[in-house]
Amino acid sequence: EKINELNAEGWKEEEDGRKEAEKEFILLHKNPFFFVGLSLYAAEGDKSQERVKFANSDPNLIMLMMKWFREICNVSEDRFRIALHIHDLLCNEDVISYWVDTTNIPKKQFHKLYVKKSSLRQRRNILYNGTCSIVINSKDLFRKIHFWKQALFEEYGINPLP
């Protein structure tokens, strides 16, 4: 019986979240920046782990999504975490400094550095600074973005597939 109560609470919480997201979608609908970030997240964002994660190697897209999370999703600065994927040909400290400057997130909020062994002897692309992942550990925001995506698809007559 306790499990049934917990399941009922979870369903109610999710339904309340969906209704709130639908209201916000209507309010944000007139803001083109809302759709830019939502479309980018729909294409490049994590869809599976009930946390918000956007990864890309293009610093301009990272800066755009940081702005979207801050202004549209109202994410506070202390909620951001950054994970980097780099090749062993890159200098770790230089790459970390590059992404600290790009994201305006303090180094202490960089929590993972994945270094991949490279078969190359030198860097091919001198502009490449690894892949930056913006991570926000929020099940509520993850679900809100998911509901926004569903509303976006429905807006254009697309029945979202699972």
Side-chain angles (χ1 to χ4, degrees):
E1 207 170 294
K2 184 73 171 166
I3 292 174
N4 288 339
E5 286 178 32
L6 291 174
N7 284 342
E9 286 176 28
W11 284 110
K12 182 178 178 345
E13 185 180 300
E14 189 167 328
E15 182 61 20
D16 290 347
R18 185 184 61 73
K19 287 178 182 174
E20 183 67 25
E22 286 174 355
K23 288 179 192 172
E24 290 175 348
F25 185 85
I26 292 166
L27 291 173
L28 292 167
H29 191 268
K30 294 177 175 70
N31 183 344
F33 187 46
F34 170 67
F35 286 109
V36 168
L38 184 58
S39 298
L40 279 171
Y41 193 87
E44 298 287 337
D46 193 349
K47 297 152 186 81
S48 62
Q49 295 190 0
E50 291 220 329
R51 64 163 184 202
V52 176
K53 181 179 175 187
F54 179 86
N56 209 284
S57 60
D58 183 332
N60 294 309
L61 289 179
I62 292 297
M63 287 187 292
L64 185 73
M65 287 307 293
M66 293 293 296
K67 183 177 177 72
W68 189 77
F69 288 131
R70 288 173 173 126
E71 294 179 10
I72 299 295
C73 301
N74 299 312
V75 174
S76 62
E77 294 301 311
D78 63 328
R79 299 295 309 268
F80 288 106
R81 298 294 176 267
I82 303 295
L84 299 175
H85 288 76
I86 67 171
H87 291 278
D88 62 354
L89 295 174
L90 300 172
C91 173
N92 294 359
E93 284 305 313
D94 289 349
V95 170
I96 292 169
S97 293
Y98 174 82
W99 288 110
V100 164
D101 292 343
T102 300
T103 62
N104 288 319
I105 296 297
K107 186 177 176 180
K108 68 181 181 185
Q109 289 175 233
F110 281 59
H111 69 112
K112 297 230 179 185
L113 177 65
Y114 300 97
V115 181
K116 181 180 176 184
K117 262 294 197 214
S118 178
S119 60
L120 302 174
R121 293 187 186 165
Q122 64 185 37
R123 287 175 70 173
R124 281 192 199 162
N125 180 353
I126 60 168
L127 299 178
Y128 180 72
N129 284 293
T131 299
C132 178
S133 297
I134 305 164
V135 180
I136 304 157
N137 290 311
S138 172
K139 178 173 65 172
D140 292 337
L141 181 57
F142 175 86
R143 289 179 178 175
K144 180 186 291 193
I145 292 171
H146 175 74
F147 293 135
W148 286 346
K149 286 190 313 183
Q150 287 180 320
L152 173 68
F153 295 139
E154 289 168 9
E155 172 100 359
Y156 290 95
I158 297 166
N159 289 328
L161 299 172

